[in-house]
Amino acid sequence: MSKANRLLISVDVEEFDIPLEFGGQVPLQEQLSVSHHGLMTVLDLFERYQVRATFFVTAYWAQHYPELVRQLAVRHEVASHAYYHSKYAPEHLESSRLALLAITGKPVNGFRMPRLKPVSIASLKCAGYLYDASLNPTWLPGRYNNWDKPRTPFRENDFWIIPSSVSPLCRYPVFWLSIKNMPDLVTRHFSNTILKKDRMLSCYFHPWELADLNNYTLPGYIRRVSGNKMQHRLNSFLRYLQQKGEFCTHSEWIREQA
């Protein structure tokens, strides 16, 4: 295995339904198209910096853009983000995997629960997955408190859990909200801290962040840095990361551990 740092970038491709959490309304077709628009910008950035990433895609979104999802699977990894982003039933674990498999023709190894809610490892194994990426091992008010969870990838009942990266000690999270709201110097500082300790960085964001969100019912910490501003932030972050290690998918990282 190479000694280079591993950079696990992941993208949650989903219906743009977050305004509904704050009392807003977005027509379903617009929920789909906002993420599509943002994803095309993401792919341009990834091409610029030769990023290979893992795309956690809802089956419902994928069924509306099957050709694009097939294109993603050529260079990147396509994993499951459940069937729908706002509706969940236990049977969606397997049905979303099978739907993505039918579209891409490639194994679907990974899963990430929408909004990073807890999910049963036993159920994921039964549904045919090899790893879960639904853990952010920090505290986010109103979302989760995972201070007691491992900070780095671990195995549970012979099943991989790949958390989003947080720093040692204070568990500062490097993910979409912190990249969006904190200065580049802060993001780079904590990314460096994580890479020095862990030799890997796992970071995720959403395509809809690269759309202009100013006209939607969203709090300022989500809406303020979006569209071109978020594109500038990600461009700077990816340019920095390109000098720090090698981009790889979640499944590739797991294979390297064998």
Side-chain angles (χ1 to χ4, degrees), residues 215-256:
N215 294 325
Y216 292 101
T217 304
L218 292 167
Y221 63 84
I222 295 176
R223 185 186 66 248
R224 185 172 54 249
V225 176
S226 63
N228 290 335
K229 290 181 180 179
M230 188 60 179
Q231 181 177 344
H232 176 76
R233 287 282 177 94
L234 279 177
N235 183 76
S236 175
F237 186 47
L238 293 174
R239 183 173 62 241
Y240 154 80
L241 285 180
Q242 190 182 43
Q243 310 304 315
K244 292 291 180 177
E246 295 181 5
F247 295 106
C248 72
T249 69
H250 284 53
S251 286
E252 287 173 338
W253 184 89
I254 288 172
R255 286 196 292 270
E256 289 180 346

Side-chain angles (χ1 to χ4, degrees), residues 202-222:
S202 176
C203 173
Y204 72 97
F205 62 94
H206 315 86
W208 50 258
E209 297 175 61
L210 284 85
D212 185 348
L213 303 180
N214 284 304
N215 294 325
Y216 292 101
T217 304
L218 292 167
Y221 63 84
I222 295 176

Side-chain angles (χ1 to χ4, degrees), residues 27-233:
L28 183 54
Q29 186 55 50
E30 188 174 342
Q31 292 181 31
L32 297 167
S33 63
V34 167
S35 286
H36 178 271
H37 172 76
L39 181 56
M40 302 313 292
T41 305
V42 168
L43 291 177
D44 286 344
L45 284 173
F46 282 4
E47 183 67 26
R48 183 180 307 167
Y49 295 108
Q50 295 299 294
V51 176
R52 297 186 64 250
T54 302
F55 288 82
F56 292 92
V57 189
T58 66
Y60 186 72
W61 194 94
Q63 288 169 337
H64 284 77
Y65 301 101
E67 185 54 40
L68 178 54
V69 174
R70 276 191 286 273
Q71 291 174 20
L72 290 178
V74 172
R75 177 174 175 80
H76 306 281
E77 177 182 359
V78 172
S80 173
H81 198 33
Y83 212 98
Y84 306 99
H85 197 249
S86 286
K87 296 185 294 183
Y88 173 73
E91 58 267 24
H92 291 169
L93 295 179
E94 183 177 33
S95 62
S96 64
R97 184 183 66 80
L98 294 176
L100 293 170
L101 171 62
I103 290 170
T104 65
K106 293 188 175 183
V108 178
N109 296 324
F111 182 83
R112 174 174 287 154
M113 180 68 88
R115 298 175 177 87
L116 273 63
K117 292 182 178 180
V119 58
S120 161
I121 299 306
S123 296
L124 287 174
K125 290 180 71 173
C126 288
Y129 294 100
L130 301 181
Y131 72 86
D132 176 55
S134 306
L135 175 63
N136 195 335
T138 190
W139 176 65
L140 188 64
R143 287 292 193 196
Y144 38 74
N145 184 358
N146 293 321
W147 283 91
D148 60 328
K149 302 296 191 300
R151 199 180 53 77
T152 55
F154 62 99
R155 299 182 80 172
E156 183 174 307
N157 296 327
D158 203 34
F159 188 88
W160 277 101
I161 313 293
I162 303 181
S164 179
S165 286
V166 300
S167 69
L169 301 179
C170 70
R171 295 203 174 208
Y172 179 91
V174 176
F175 72 139
W176 68 283
L177 279 174
S178 60
I179 295 170
K180 181 188 293 284
N181 288 290
M182 300 301 290
D184 284 355
L185 284 176
V186 173
T187 299
R188 293 183 182 192
H189 167 75
F190 282 105
S191 296
N192 266 330
T193 301
I194 292 166
L195 286 168
K196 286 179 181 178
K197 179 71 173 179
D198 304 337
R199 302 305 306 271
M200 68 172 295
L201 178 74
S202 176
C203 173
Y204 72 97
F205 62 94
H206 315 86
W208 50 258
E209 297 175 61
L210 284 85
D212 185 348
L213 303 180
N214 284 304
N215 294 325
Y216 292 101
T217 304
L218 292 167
Y221 63 84
I222 295 176
R223 185 186 66 248
R224 185 172 54 249
V225 176
S226 63
N228 290 335
K229 290 181 180 179
M230 188 60 179
Q231 181 177 344
H232 176 76
R233 287 282 177 94

